[in-house]
Amino acid sequence: MKNFSTVVLALVGALGISTSAMGATGQIEEVVVSAQRVSESIQDVPIAVSAFNTEMLEAKQIDTFSDLQFNVPNVSYSKTFFSGNNFQIRGIGNLLVAQSADTGVGMHVNDVYINSPRIFETEYYDMAQVEILRGPQGTLFGRNATGGVVNLKTARPVLGETLYDVDLQVGNYDHRKIKGSFNVPMGDSMAFRMAGIFLDREGYTDNLLGGDIDGRDQWSVRGSFRWDIGDNTRLDIIAHRFEEDSNRSRSQKQLCNQDPSAVLGCIPDSTPTEAINPFSTLAGLLSSDLILGPIGASSFFAFPLSLDPTFGNPSDLREQRLAFEPEYEAEEDFIMLELQHEFANGYDLNLILAHQETTVFSRQDYNGTAANLNDATIPASFCAFSPAACTFFGTQAGGPQFMSSVPNTSSLGAVGGPGHFLASSRGSATDVSDVDAEQDSVEIRITSNLDGRFNFMLAAYFLEYEAAGGYVVQAPGLDYAAVGLINGALGLAGNPDVFGSLAPGYFNTVTTPYELDSRAVFGEVYYEISDTLKLTLGLRHTKDEKSVSDRQSLLNIPVTVDVATGTVSVLGVAPVTNFEELLSTAAGLGVYDADPNTPGGQVFREFEEEFSETTGRIVLDWTPDLSFTDDTMVYFSYSKGYKGGGINPPIDTTLFPNTPTTFDPEDIDAFEVGMKNTLKDGTLQLNGNMFFYDYGGYQIGKIVNRTSLNENTDAEIFGLELEALWAPTENWRLNAAFSYLDTVLD
């Protein structure tokens, strides 16, 4: 049983806020949101929602996605596994490690759900509003989410006006940033708007092994077109392009209390700046004396199993020891079309078509604590054990140096000769994460705007998503262990002409591709029981079809290498020249199988699964006329949340035979009671809520030994949230937020 509680309190005072955000008497300007897919005051929405318009984003200095955690209760942001991000609402986010995993918080741009967003990388520019809905959402937006929804709304073209703005910024570290927009009318019924941002900055983290890192080189541009086709019909087309090519790490400097036993890399009881014990990693363990005996890592690395805790990790948070300069490249293309039509009989139609393509490539030092030592020389004990390998590596590397595999998915590894290896530095390692994804979505929505007590919203949603990518870890210890293990196993020690190895000498997991086909129908009905009491009923049915083609390989395939010719052969009988040939040959010979559930040796695992569920919500909101408030709304809601299951990453079932191929969906019963108040002649807003979540099959990911997997558990979450906004005078605004979470995992 695990229990975790948090309390967060924030108080912000701002002087000189523009009167466009407050009236002359200090009254708070009404913020209009579309949280329920119609425009209404935020104080009239029976959902825990926070929203920031253009003026508020500027006043609160909310420039990036991560800044939201300092302005919204029970919101947090962090990096996760590989190149992922975790935006959490009420403790619910993305803690999974699988291409097929769904996020707990739905990320939207102009109401379009984005499965692989790049909004974490760039700063906001030319935004109209940012809305954050807390709690399960499934009957209002296209893609269901158990934690909540974030909706970024960009500025739309303005008819009949010529507008422009430019913001220039320069600073230290050669910081240069420019962002701006211009709006041009095109006759009486059309307008075009262009906006963009450019950011270039040198890194402010010092790599003690050479150069500065964590710089930025990125830009984004957005074009928007609006056409009022008639009095009742409007067409919007929005497209943007984003590019980045920076030397920033996808994860920051690690704080560590080193575990001298090497059972763990770090002991999770404090956060000093010590180095991770490298022998807790697979590369360190396999190359250690414990596994390889007299040729183990103590002779190669020249230090014992427990490492000096101060080794490699400077105490300054802006200093690191990196053998490899980080690389971070990302691109995104996005285009959407939105057609809105108001029928004469009180019904509105919205049609949204969207397409997105994105890629991200990230390469960085694996542990971030590389030693400031010279290139490793091949130890004498290793040469005595395997003279053929010693000769081959020394010759290929141009001296008595050991080699490590090039970290890519097409390399044979160090045994492949020139172009397949790097001359290794002691303790250095690197990893590469890359994803290439695209999606198409369609949402059709009909909303009523009738004069009576009854109204409704009905929608259908279609999403097709495809992603391919991989994750590679290269470490010299893996290559070192690969040769040591196979020479002993095949009895090749002392042979002057041939040596053996396990290939590939690097961890390699590839997905080509993962596909998601999602269909949903959802809607809500609204009934005004009386002038002060309103009932909302929502229902949704979702069907997700997921399929994946993937594989994992690391030290799987026994090969021999002829020193004279450099020929690599599987089992010494089938020569190969590239990685794909290596896998297909090994699969044919029965020494590699990516899919044990399919007869014969398979190069890829093929698997598909289907998930479906019907969910909904019920809300009762009451707007009493109280003598001590200007306006008050009290609401109670029950929501049935759902997130589909998924397919675990490729797993070596010879080592983990009982690991499940899939993980189950998660469902949530969410209860919430809240109140929204406007007081003191519109100068004070005081909102609060209390909620309880009962989770079944809560999804959580972890890395065990050499594989990633996801599991299900039960959970309970109890929380409180308070938000206050007070504008006592024209020039003052005070904001306060309080949040409390008490969570239990079974």
Side-chain angles (χ1 to χ4, degrees), residues 172-174 200-217 244-254 312-314 316-328 362-370:
N172 55 350
Y173 298 101
D174 291 330
D200 185 55
R201 187 197 70 227
E202 297 299 321
Y204 49 76
T205 299
D206 183 17
N207 180 13
L208 298 183
L209 298 187
D212 297 322
I213 64 169
D214 281 332
R216 294 291 187 275
D217 184 358
E244 177 174 2
D245 186 1
S246 301
N247 68 339
R248 65 169 164 137
S249 301
R250 64 176 177 271
S251 57
Q252 301 304 308
K253 179 184 176 80
Q254 301 178 92
N313 198 358
D316 191 321
L317 295 180
R318 292 299 180 193
E319 292 183 350
Q320 289 188 266
R321 291 186 183 275
L322 305 179
F324 304 92
E325 180 179 86
E327 302 172 48
Y328 196 94
S362 175
R363 176 181 183 264
Q364 69 178 38
D365 192 289
Y366 186 59
N367 287 326
T369 56

Side-chain angles (χ1 to χ4, degrees), residues 145-462:
T146 51
V149 162
V150 178
N151 193 14
L152 308 181
K153 310 186 78 171
T154 62
R156 302 293 177 98
V158 179
L159 299 181
E161 295 187 49
T162 300
L163 306 168
Y164 65 90
D165 72 89
V166 178
D167 184 284
L168 300 173
Q169 192 178 89
V170 295
N172 55 350
Y173 298 101
D174 291 330
H175 173 88
R176 294 169 295 162
K177 181 172 71 174
I178 179 171
K179 62 180 178 180
S181 65
F182 65 87
N183 186 95
V184 180
M186 303 169 64
D188 296 332
S189 61
M190 293 184 288
F192 177 75
R193 189 181 189 97
M194 179 71 74
I197 184 173
F198 167 80
L199 173 62
D200 185 55
R201 187 197 70 227
E202 297 299 321
Y204 49 76
T205 299
D206 183 17
N207 180 13
L208 298 183
L209 298 187
D212 297 322
I213 64 169
D214 281 332
R216 294 291 187 275
D217 184 358
Q218 59 182 217
W219 62 269
S220 181
V221 63
R222 180 192 311 123
S224 306
F225 171 76
R226 168 163 285 185
W227 180 21
D228 279 359
I229 301 174
D231 293 338
N232 300 317
T233 306
R234 171 177 290 170
L235 174 69
D236 283 290
I237 300 175
I238 303 172
H240 75 241
R241 168 75 177 175
F242 167 76
E243 285 190 17
E244 177 174 2
D245 186 1
S246 301
N247 68 339
R248 65 169 164 137
S249 301
R250 64 176 177 271
S251 57
Q252 301 304 308
K253 179 184 176 80
Q254 301 178 92
L255 301 179
C256 174
N257 179 20
Q258 187 189 107
D259 180 8
S261 70
V263 174
L264 301 174
C266 306
I267 302 174
D269 61 353
S270 59
T271 55
T273 52
E274 297 180 353
I276 295 173
N277 193 326
F279 295 101
S280 65
T281 67
L282 184 65
L285 175 63
L286 291 181
S287 61
S288 69
D289 297 357
L290 182 66
I291 302 297
L292 297 183
I295 65 164
S298 62
S299 58
F300 175 46
F301 291 105
F303 45 70
L305 189 60
S306 61
L307 184 63
D308 179 358
T310 62
F311 183 85
N313 198 358
S315 60
D316 191 321
L317 295 180
R318 292 299 180 193
E319 292 183 350
Q320 289 188 266
R321 291 186 183 275
L322 305 179
F324 304 92
E325 180 179 86
E327 302 172 48
Y328 196 94
E329 301 172 8
E331 296 182 2
E332 181 182 44
D333 291 302
F334 172 85
I335 185 169
M336 64 170 289
L337 178 151
E338 181 176 12
L339 180 67
Q340 304 175 65
H341 180 73
E342 298 179 5
F343 294 97
N345 55 4
Y347 297 99
D348 297 339
L349 171 69
N350 281 69
L351 171 65
I352 301 178
L353 308 175
H355 175 79
Q356 183 235 21
E357 296 181 11
T358 183
T359 62
V360 61
F361 172 89
S362 175
R363 176 181 183 264
Q364 69 178 38
D365 192 289
Y366 186 59
N367 287 326
T369 56
N372 188 15
L373 299 175
N374 297 323
D375 287 335
T377 59
I378 301 175
S381 59
F382 180 82
C383 291
F385 177 80
S386 182
C390 184
T391 301
F392 179 81
F393 289 158
T395 302
Q396 298 292 334
Q401 296 177 330
F402 201 78
M403 305 186 313
S404 59
S405 297
V406 169
N408 64 49
T409 57
S410 60
S411 168
L412 273 177
V415 297
H420 296 261
F421 72 88
L422 301 168
S424 68
S425 298
R426 296 183 180 181
S428 64
T430 186
D431 69 343
V432 174
S433 177
D434 70 282
V435 176
D436 188 343
E438 66 176 281
Q439 71 170 61
D440 292 285
S441 63
V442 178
E443 182 176 342
I444 305 171
R445 186 172 70 252
I446 299 176
T447 306
S448 70
N449 187 23
L450 306 175
D451 294 333
R453 294 184 177 273
F454 174 83
N455 277 286
F456 70 90
M457 185 274 291
L458 180 64
Y461 179 71
F462 309 88

